[in-house]
Amino acid sequence: MTDQTADVSESQGIGASILVWERKLRLISGLILLVFVTTHLLNHAIGIFGVDAMEVAQRWRELVWRSWPGTILLYGAATVHVGLALKRIAERRTWRMPIQEALQIALGLSIPLLLYEHIIGTRVLASFAGVDDSYLGTLRRLWPTLAWKQSLTVLIVWSHGMIGLHYAVRSKDWYPKVRLIGIVIAFALPLLALAGFVAAGREALEFDTTKGVWTPEQIAMFRMTARWVNLSILGVAAGLVAVIVATELMRRLGGKVLVRYTGHGDIHMPKGLTLLEASRDNAIPHPSLCGGRGRCSTCRVLILKGLESLPDPSPSEQAILKRISAPPRVRLACQIRPTRDLSIQILLPVEIPDSQIDWDEEAFKWGVERRATALFVDLRAFDRLSHSQLPYDLVVLLNRFVAEMRQAIEAHGGRVTMFLSDGLMAVFGLSNTRSAGSRAAISAAQDMLKVADTLNAEFSAALPLPLRIGIGIHTGPLVMARIGDEDRGFMVTALGETVTIAGRLEAATKDSLTDCLISQATLVEAKHAIPATEQRKINVPGIPEPVVAYPLAMAKAPEKADTSA
């Protein structure tokens, strides 16, 4: 690598680190503002019980947000969030984007235009002109003439916050578990706030009071302040447009880079764009669930040529690539800005399901990684049974075995992910906590062994040898994926080392002379006591250290206090 290339890579690395910190600051400041808005809407919702109830709740809010620390935190967060948002807009290299991303930007830009008069008429005039900004006075001024504007502002501010929060957490492991309750809260809170606003506004008009009536001096101060704010907004807008135009001119004069897309041909992209921006700018289908914020891996590309000219991944990109176990030549398109020619291949198809990353059939096709518990169950001596039974009898036995095992699995919240000729595989803990999933797998194994005894008694007269099963259970990271094609159908199954270990434990039950082996990792997740004896060490090909496991009879359940924890 030449000195010039090294300097470019170093500068790009520093720029990537700055972007990481900017994303963190934008997220933190946005969360602070969202907390403020949430408390404000809750205060509105209390209006259902009357104006007096709103005033009581308001006094508690003012203890936090109108204290000096609260004031500095709130307005500091607003300044940082708006400033970084404007910076991000000014630095955009393309305006081609998904509709939800464009909607978030449009909502965000409209908020200051809708909100500044309300802020002036409450906090500013209350502090400098003696205006009564209590709920009674404010409601009498707003209701009913300005009620529509206030309601629209509430919906826009809340929608903008929910879209941003969705983008920030949609790739987190816990998001599918809270998504449903989150949707309920996201719709219920603004509706309750509007209901409280309407009820309290009507009640406020019934009071015989002069609150809400401004003096000529207060009106003059409001108009003067609003005029200056209008001029400031126009100045910021003009500056933003000037920066965007200047950036576009510099981009066009800064030279171009040849990027060869496998399957999409060649493009010449201006230097300074990310690969994702270049794809959007040239109408090349390129998925990105997080909107190019470096929070997911759906925009990943394989660098076929030119990897050495790219800077090393930033810490946030490294974390994502490590999480998906990406090989060295795989990078995130939203995080790299080529300065030399590249040849790349987009790795994921562009059809993003509306449900995003969630536990439904569409999401599974993306290969979602989760930490869960895998269970293998196998019918012992199946080859010997198949030689000694008539085909009809064998099919009846297998169907009965599969039906009973599946019932035991699903009764404990597990999901059957694969049927074998003489067994099946299941996964536990996809929708619950890991400890609940591992405990459910152990309980399901206990039921399976009871079912095997029942089947043994039922078919004993027709079988040449007793019916036995083997079970292996292990907990760890695995990938849930939808495998198959349109012609032959799809199958949701589990992949990865955890599945391999569970299958190896099941096979090891024969040599260990036991019906079920549970890995130590599963016992730890389930909060079961680790047995002091009967430890088995199972060698698994490809894994350097033996897997420690215990027979089911030795895996004692925790005390009730531990289970509740």
Side-chain angles (χ1 to χ4, degrees), residues 118-156:
H118 180 66
I119 296 174
I120 295 172
T122 53
R123 188 68 183 270
V124 175
L125 293 189
S127 300
F128 300 101
V131 165
D132 179 7
D133 68 336
S134 65
Y135 263 107
L136 179 57
T138 303
L139 286 169
R140 288 179 62 85
R141 183 172 58 86
L142 295 177
W143 187 268
T145 308
L146 297 175
W148 69 270
K149 185 176 182 180
Q150 189 73 5
S151 301
L152 180 63
T153 303
V154 166
L155 294 176
I156 288 179

Side-chain angles (χ1 to χ4, degrees), residues 18-19 33 41 43 53 112 116 132 144 158 175 253 294 463 530 532 565:
I18 293 175
L19 288 175
L33 295 176
L41 294 188
N43 210 156
Y116 78 92
D132 179 7
W158 186 252
Y175 182 56
L253 298 174
L463 297 177
I530 303 299

Side-chain angles (χ1 to χ4, degrees), residues 252-458:
R252 292 180 179 275
L253 298 174
K256 293 183 179 291
V257 176
L258 172 65
V259 179
R260 178 160 295 167
Y261 285 78
T262 300
H264 298 286
D266 298 349
I267 68 168
H268 288 84
M269 59 171 283
K271 293 181 180 179
L273 266 67
T274 66
L275 271 177
L276 180 62
E277 290 172 336
S279 298
R280 290 176 173 179
D281 210 22
N282 290 272
I284 295 176
H286 203 149
S288 177
L289 285 178
C290 71
R293 293 167 172 83
R295 295 178 182 141
C296 72
S297 63
T298 51
C299 70
R300 72 185 82 159
V301 294
L302 178 65
I303 308 298
L304 302 174
K305 184 179 179 182
L307 179 65
E308 63 281 354
S309 66
L310 297 176
D312 294 333
S314 65
S316 60
E317 184 183 1
Q318 285 179 346
I320 295 293
L321 295 175
K322 182 178 180 181
R323 184 172 180 268
I324 64 173
S325 300
R329 288 189 170 272
V330 171
R331 297 292 299 271
L332 301 184
C334 66
Q335 299 298 301
I336 53 178
R337 302 178 185 273
T339 58
R340 300 289 183 89
D341 295 350
L342 286 180
S343 294
I344 67 166
Q345 177 182 351
I346 299 173
L347 293 179
L348 294 183
V350 73
E351 293 84 3
I352 306 296
D354 294 336
S355 58
Q356 308 303 339
I357 297 182
D358 196 3
W359 291 113
D360 55 29
E361 297 302 317
E362 286 300 316
F364 281 131
K365 71 182 181 182
W366 295 101
V368 186
E369 184 180 7
R370 288 293 183 269
R371 185 173 178 85
T373 300
L375 179 149
F376 268 88
V377 58
D378 178 74
L379 187 62
R380 295 276 181 83
F382 176 74
D383 291 339
R384 187 172 175 184
L385 286 174
S386 62
H387 288 302
S388 60
Q389 298 295 303
L390 294 174
Y392 173 82
D393 295 335
L394 184 63
V395 170
V396 170
L397 174 61
L398 279 178
N399 284 335
R400 180 66 184 283
F401 168 76
V402 169
E404 295 290 349
M405 294 298 113
R406 181 171 189 168
Q407 182 176 346
I409 290 167
E410 293 179 348
H412 292 278
R415 174 168 184 155
V416 176
T417 59
M418 183 180 295
F419 290 101
L420 308 173
S421 60
D422 55 349
L424 48 85
M425 178 179 70
V427 176
F428 295 81
L430 293 178
S431 58
N432 299 316
T433 60
R434 297 195 299 266
S435 58
S438 52
R439 287 196 298 268
I442 295 174
S443 298
Q446 293 171 334
D447 287 352
M448 288 177 181
L449 294 175
K450 294 176 182 178
V451 169
D453 291 338
T454 302
L455 292 177
N456 193 37
E458 182 178 341

Side-chain angles (χ1 to χ4, degrees), residues 48 54 65 70 83 111 119 168 206 250 371 405 410 451 534:
I48 296 173
M54 295 178 76
W65 298 112
I111 289 174
I119 296 174
E206 299 175 359
M250 292 176 62
R371 185 173 178 85
M405 294 298 113
E410 293 179 348
V451 169
E534 294 295 326

